[in-house]
Amino acid sequence: MSTSTGEKPLLRVKDISVAFPVTGRGIVRRRIGSVRAVDGVSFELRQNETLGLVGETGSGKSTTALAVLRMLDLSGGRIEFDGHDITRLGRARMRRLRRGMQMIFQDPFASLNPRMRIGRILEEPLVVHGLTGDGRGSARRVDELLELVGLDSGTRDRFPHEFSGGQRQRISIARALAVSPKLLICDEPVSALDVSIQAQIINLLVDLKRRTGLALLFIAHDLALVRHISDRVAVMYAGRIVELADRDALYERPLHPYTQALLAAVPRPDPEVETARGIGLLPDEPPRSIDPALGCPFSLRCPKAMDVCRCETPPLRMRDARAVACHLYGPD
Ligand code: SF4
């Protein structure tokens, strides 16, 4: 199965898994199993491309992002970034390479030190990575960064609490861009913001990608937002990618029953359409990812489940120019 883009990728993630131990109660707390938060995930991402990663809470999106950054240990698989195998890289070398891969988080307020002025916050990554040059150089860079994200350079002496939520997320983006990364991982970057501000931040990310050639791994549960920003979209369920396709192909003709259910649950502006189609297509059953994994993880909720689905896990394979993991679709 190929999940490649056809060009030399900036990031190549091959069959990665992340497992967390489950321990029993009592004093001994013996290990009784494991939760596979990420299970055999593969994808590639090239420069100046945005891959959207969607799925419900607990589907493994954020764990995948942390694994890519090597902030979590892998149970298996391989990660290559910018031509380097980073799967088992030591701390010092990983720190140097991490300059090329930065992350922005859901809550900009929690990720900014409330006691530091904005100028210091933006200078900090330059200091950590030895990029300060003379003092004037770093001051110029701070002004450039503020301008890049649409903030006035006069704001450099203010504290995070003096900004709105949208402005704080702009500051987080500026801090991530300070070291000129090639990859920006955005983990639900707008879900804590007002709807009116969300569009501004998304447009800013689109514009930054166009101007700098950044690659974006954009994680969200809002499918409308992901459609707006992504070139390709991967749908995750229970730690696995169940469908990966070009954006338009996925939104116009989803194949996997889970993708179909997610898209069916997106609210439409027409109240008649909304009433006619009904809502709540997904029974409220959490994704299961505890050993042993038998069959399709979506089988308990899938309206199209067959006998085979309960005993054989469907592999991710190519079908109609996309990758899909479902027994309804054989190989091309
Ligand atoms: Fe549904 Fe079976 Fe496909 Fe899983 S493999 S999504 S249960 S039809």
Side-chain angles (χ1 to χ4, degrees), residues 256-257 296 298-299 302 304-306 309 314 325-328:
H256 196 282
C296 171
F298 190 53
S299 59
C302 180
K304 298 175 182 171
M306 306 167 284
C309 305
C326 175
H327 288 305
L328 292 171

Side-chain angles (χ1 to χ4, degrees), residues 240 288 292-299 308-314 327:
R240 298 165 191 229
R288 67 183 162 89
L294 259 191
C296 171
F298 190 53
S299 59
V308 65
C309 305
R310 296 185 185 91
C311 51
E312 278 181 33
T313 306
H327 288 305

